[in-house]
Amino acid sequence: GQSHIYSYIFGQGAWTPAEVLNNVEQLVTTDPLGQTGLFAVFNNQTYCPVQIPNLKCDRAPSAWPAGSKRFVRFQNNTLRLGADHKVYDSHGTVWPDLSEAEVLDLTVIPQYDVFD
């Protein structure tokens, strides 16, 4: 199906017109290599970076690793949430702090200090 993507332009106080990306399964903020940004994961298990502000993929999609649900950057590590609900480090070892947990989703929330 089609996914409509919008971005908000704060200086203008308005949303951009919709851009269409076909067959998008999810949008993520970390790719399998640990790069951060906005990435579209397609239903054929490929992904590509979404370029801001045109909200389009500017290169051919790369393979999304089989059995991987999500990636995050945490404490200088790229962590992977597997389809088995386990969290792995970049070497494929179960992350010790979550080894006993069944993890359904994984995200990192940046903390900002407005006084810095």
Side-chain angles (χ1 to χ4, degrees):
Q2 290 185 336
S3 296
H4 294 84
I5 301 176
Y6 304 82
S7 66
Y8 190 76
I9 306 169
F10 286 94
Q12 297 176 6
W15 291 93
T16 62
E19 292 293 339
V20 175
L21 285 174
N22 291 314
N23 303 311
V24 173
E25 185 175 290
Q26 64 176 331
L27 294 173
V28 298
T29 57
T30 306
D31 78 356
L33 303 174
Q35 299 297 313
T36 57
L38 182 61
F39 302 90
V41 180
F42 300 99
N43 58 12
N44 66 356
Q45 296 304 299
T46 61
Y47 76 97
C48 71
V50 176
Q51 299 304 311
I52 308 294
N54 68 7
L55 302 176
K56 295 193 181 289
C57 292
D58 70 345
R59 66 171 170 81
S62 301
W64 186 260
S68 299
K69 184 175 177 182
R70 184 161 330 275
F71 294 85
V72 297
R73 293 286 301 158
F74 180 70
Q75 297 178 345
N76 296 321
N77 294 288
T78 300
L79 302 181
R80 176 180 67 86
L81 176 58
D84 61 356
H85 305 289
K86 296 291 182 188
V87 177
Y88 299 90
D89 66 16
S90 59
H91 303 291
T93 304
V94 173
W95 190 252
D97 294 343
L98 298 171
S99 63
E100 300 299 317
E102 179 181 351
V103 180
L104 301 178
D105 206 350
L106 192 63
T107 190
V108 172
I109 300 170
Q111 295 181 1
Y112 299 100
D113 186 343
V114 295
F115 297 106
D116 280 346

